[in-house]
């Protein structure tokens, strides 16, 4: 996910994550998973604020061919989708 600098600080990022979560709940998904680049503190803070935790798993190889993405997940409790 990427948000243009002009839109940052306005809650757009939170709304995008919440929209994905609403969709996942409607499809009865039990867990959301994502990967974040190591060192991307802004994204990590956003995802942690939304209830994601690091799993300890490594994700895809980064373009530098050395580093790997870090996997985060969030368990979704059953609820009525809105």
């Amino acid at each position: 996910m990427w948000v243009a600098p002009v839109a940052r600080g306005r809650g757009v990022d939170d709304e995008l994550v919440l929209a994905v979560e609403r969709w996942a709940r409607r499809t009865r998904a039990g867990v959301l998973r994502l990967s974040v680049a190591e060192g991307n503190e802004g994204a990590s803070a956003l995802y942690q604020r939304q209830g994601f935790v690091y799993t300890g798993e490594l994700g895809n190889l980064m373009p530098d061919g050395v580093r790997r993405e870090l996997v985060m997940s969030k368990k979704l409790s059953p609820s009525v989708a809105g």
Side-chain angles (χ1 to χ4, degrees):
M1 179 176 80
W2 184 84
V3 175
V6 69
R8 293 178 188 166
R10 298 179 182 190
V12 172
D13 51 0
D14 285 296
E15 286 302 317
L16 288 169
V17 173
L18 290 171
V20 170
E21 185 173 333
R22 285 190 297 269
W23 167 82
R25 287 180 188 282
R26 283 194 305 271
T27 65
R28 300 182 190 265
V31 176
L32 281 177
R33 293 172 51 91
L34 58 85
S35 297
V36 63
E38 184 177 2
N40 189 342
E41 300 304 324
S44 294
L46 162 68
Y47 299 134
Q48 289 176 347
R49 186 170 64 243
Q50 292 289 340
F52 286 83
V53 296
Y54 285 101
T55 67
E57 299 170 69
L58 296 177
N60 293 328
L61 196 60
M62 298 291 293
D64 65 12
V66 177
R67 296 176 300 141
R68 297 188 85 81
E69 294 175 324
L70 304 174
V71 177
M72 300 180 82
S73 70
K74 178 180 180 177
K75 289 186 179 181
L76 302 177
S77 58
S79 66
V80 176

